[in-house]
Amino acid sequence: MEAVVDEVVAPEDLEKFEKKYSAELARGSVSKDSAFEYAWCLIRSRSSSDIKKGIELLDDLMHKGAKDDQRDYLFYLAVGNYKLKEYERALKYIRVLLKNEPGNTQALELEKLINKAMKRDGLVGMAIVGGIGLGVAGLAGLIGLAVAKKAA
C-alpha cells in the first residue's frame, strides 16, 4: 500500500493529462474520464497545491458521477488526504468506501496505513507537548531557585 501512496507522477504524464483536461475545458465540456485522469495525476504529485486541486476535482466528480465510479473517487480522495496528512478526512472517505465494499482489500490496507499514521503522529504530538511541559516546568523551577537564593 505504501507503493500506492508514495507513487509520484512523471512530469510528462501530468503535463499530458493537464493539456487534455484544459483543451476539453476550453471547449466547454470535460469528460469524466479526462477529469479523473488529471485528478489522479494531481494526487500523485509532490506538490501539495496539486494534490489539493486533485482532491477538488475528485470531490466534484464524486458528487456529479455515477455510483459505479465512486469507488475510485473515494479511494483517491483518501490517498490525497493521507498525503496531505489530513488523516481524519482520509479515514472518512475510506470508511465510506468500506461501508459499500467491506471486503475491498486495497481499502482495508489503506485504512490500516491511515490509522498507523494517526497513531504515529499522535504520539509525536504527545511527545512535543510533553517536552514543552517539561521545559516550562524546568524554567519555573529555575525561577523558583533564583527567587529562593535572593531571599536567603
Side-chain angles (χ1 to χ4, degrees):
M1 182 50 54
E2 281 89 353
V4 172
V5 297
D6 292 338
E7 183 181 8
V8 178
V9 66
E12 56 273 8
D13 285 344
L14 181 58
E15 186 179 333
K16 173 181 137 184
F17 288 108
E18 182 178 23
K19 282 181 181 177
K20 181 180 176 188
Y21 175 84
S22 296
E24 288 184 20
L25 189 61
R27 280 185 249 131
S29 180
V30 178
S31 73
K32 71 176 183 175
D33 289 340
S34 293
F36 177 74
E37 289 166 343
Y38 182 42
W40 180 60
C41 286
L42 289 165
I43 291 293
R44 295 179 301 140
S45 173
R46 291 181 200 259
S47 162
S48 61
S49 62
D50 282 352
I51 296 169
K52 287 176 186 173
K53 188 174 181 180
I55 288 171
E56 288 174 18
L57 285 172
L58 287 169
D59 192 52
D60 190 46
L61 283 168
M62 195 174 82
H63 293 298
K64 292 179 181 175
K67 190 137 178 96
D68 294 344
D69 299 324
Q70 288 193 350
R71 170 199 303 143
D72 291 334
Y73 304 154
L74 287 166
F75 183 79
Y76 285 106
L77 280 164
V79 169
N81 281 286
Y82 172 86
K83 290 177 79 169
L84 293 175
K85 298 184 189 294
E86 295 285 343
Y87 301 128
E88 290 86 6
R89 198 173 278 147
L91 209 49
K92 179 186 91 170
Y93 288 118
I94 210 66
R95 287 190 174 150
V96 171
L97 175 54
L98 286 168
K99 184 179 179 188
N100 296 329
E101 297 181 27
N104 185 316
T105 54
Q106 199 174 24
L108 288 165
E109 286 181 36
L110 182 55
E111 182 186 38
K112 285 180 194 171
L113 192 63
I114 295 166
N115 283 323
K116 184 178 164 184
M118 288 177 79
K119 286 177 185 163
R120 180 191 66 230
D121 285 8
L123 291 175
V124 168
M126 293 295 280
I128 291 170
V129 169
I132 291 170
L134 284 174
V136 169
L139 184 60
L142 288 173
I143 292 170
L145 249 149
V147 170
K149 282 188 177 184
K150 281 187 180 180

